[in-house]
Amino acid sequence: MSIKQIIVHKLDHGQSGDQLEAFPATQSLNASPSLELVLDDLLQTYNKKQDKCYGQFSDLSEEGFPATLKTYISQSPEANTEEQATAFATLTSSTLTRLCEGLNEAGAISGGYVLFADYQQGLTRYLMLCMLSSQNSITITDDLTIQDTSYLDTARMSLACRLNITDWEKKPEAGRYLSFLRPKGGKRLSNVFQEVIGCSETSSSKDEANTLIKAVEEYCQEEPVAENRTVVKRQVYDYCQNRLDEGESLSMQELTGYLSEAGPDEFAKFVNTRDYDMDSPMSPERRKLTQLVRYTGRSKGLSLSFDGELLGGQIRYDEANDQLIITGVPDKLKEQLKQS
């Protein structure tokens, strides 16, 4: 990963205490191994976040964020480092001001730090924007006394957005070069974020996971061999998890190609004869995909969850008698049952 520009601004309460104020940094930070570690931690956190939404720019006005960003990106490659840093500070400061105004209108009561990073991974250039908070802790000093300290909590982010600049420039028609978080209970703040960036939603990771699961389940209904059904579910799950861990999207063509190389290509043939509306890249929600490899259910006083590969072996379902038969009961559970 190569950091081109990175800067951290601050949103905090002013003297009145009831309104957020923007406190922009005057210049970008100098790239360093420590900053690369911070950004890498943030990206890992972002990649693991559930229920991302995907979209494209909708605000194409001259004053909008996309136009301002395009001006920054299109600056001459010959521009010196100081000019690039100044242009990045100007871009992010104006965005910070609009974000502050939007949050105040939405009634947000907490501020935080706003990080912008222009970075390159392989052949792809990205822009990352995220809101972070600091946490209080304690540390032991060199003279062995305890002292209060604070740290930037990179494991949590309330709002975040990532732009694939390369896709935006080369294939904007794909309509998913933007991804952003929609935290539970934070739809209003998420909407503010989208308005500031000027983007509209085109898909969500949850919907994409549901479509993919539907395709796999319908294939399994037609596949007579139970072992083949289990193998396909596991292969689909593992492939998707690996891609998501890398922060990459995937396509149905890539998935079926992988499955054909890993074993029989019946699933690829099945999908090619159906229309599941998965022609564009997707990033299915990993939590939803767990349904492919685990069976889970609960009722009053009862909760069950087990690996799908156990069904038909250690665990059998007797549909006629509405019974789930478990052999090889775990030792700890047997001890509890004996003592009851």
Side-chain angles (χ1 to χ4, degrees), residues 60-307:
L60 301 179
S61 64
E62 293 182 2
E63 296 79 21
F65 176 78
T68 310
L69 176 61
K70 184 162 287 188
T71 300
Y72 160 71
I73 294 173
S74 62
Q75 64 181 330
S76 172
E78 286 73 31
N80 61 46
T81 304
E82 185 175 344
E83 290 175 339
Q84 294 174 357
T86 299
F88 191 67
T90 300
L91 164 71
T92 58
S93 295
S94 62
T95 307
L96 178 75
T97 300
R98 291 195 294 270
L99 180 60
C100 183
E101 293 171 351
L103 291 175
N104 280 326
E105 291 177 4
I109 59 175
S110 61
Y113 298 96
V114 186
L115 179 143
F116 295 81
D118 176 5
Y119 65 98
Q120 184 108 8
Q121 281 188 312
L123 300 176
T124 306
R125 184 178 180 183
Y126 296 93
L127 178 72
M128 181 79 176
L129 192 170
C130 61
M131 280 193 68
L132 303 166
S133 61
S134 60
Q135 299 292 329
N136 295 323
S137 184
I138 58 173
T139 186
I140 299 178
T141 63
D142 292 339
D143 59 359
L144 302 182
T145 60
I146 294 178
Q147 178 178 299
D148 292 335
T149 186
S150 62
Y151 64 95
L152 194 63
D153 191 354
T154 59
R156 298 173 60 187
M157 53 180 68
S158 54
L159 294 171
C161 171
R162 181 168 61 185
L163 165 66
N164 186 319
I165 296 176
T166 303
D167 279 355
W168 177 39
E169 292 182 316
K170 294 184 177 180
K171 44 184 178 182
E173 69 283 352
R176 46 176 294 128
Y177 45 79
L178 273 168
S179 64
F180 49 93
L181 302 182
R182 177 165 288 170
K184 288 184 177 179
K187 184 177 180 180
R188 182 177 56 175
L189 300 184
S190 180
N191 289 342
V192 170
F193 213 54
Q194 292 179 55
E195 289 172 5
V196 171
I197 301 301
C199 68
S200 58
E201 181 181 336
T202 55
S203 64
S204 74
S205 57
K206 183 177 292 185
D207 291 340
E208 291 171 347
N210 285 336
T211 302
L212 181 55
I213 291 172
K214 178 183 177 183
V216 175
E217 289 180 341
E218 290 182 350
Y219 162 78
C220 290
Q221 289 175 3
E222 297 189 13
E223 170 54 54
V225 183
E227 183 179 350
N228 291 345
R229 297 195 293 266
T230 302
V231 168
V232 167
K233 287 182 178 181
R234 171 57 66 176
Q235 289 177 339
V236 170
Y237 176 81
D238 289 344
Y239 179 79
C240 291
Q241 293 297 321
N242 289 335
R243 296 289 289 181
L244 295 173
D245 286 342
E246 296 169 357
E248 299 290 340
S249 59
L250 59 114
S251 68
M252 180 56 74
Q253 183 178 3
E254 292 171 339
L255 174 60
T256 54
Y258 166 79
L259 295 181
S260 295
E261 292 179 359
D265 59 357
E266 280 79 5
F267 180 69
K269 294 177 181 177
F270 173 85
V271 170
N272 290 334
T273 62
R274 305 295 198 279
D275 182 13
Y276 288 108
D277 191 24
M278 291 187 292
D279 293 333
S280 59
M282 56 182 170
S283 301
E285 182 185 306
R286 64 176 74 227
R287 183 170 50 197
K288 276 276 183 182
L289 292 178
T290 305
Q291 296 177 23
L292 294 173
V293 293
R294 291 196 69 80
Y295 290 95
T296 304
R298 65 175 57 193
S299 61
K300 187 175 181 180
L302 176 66
S303 178
L304 284 173
S305 179
F306 58 90
D307 194 293

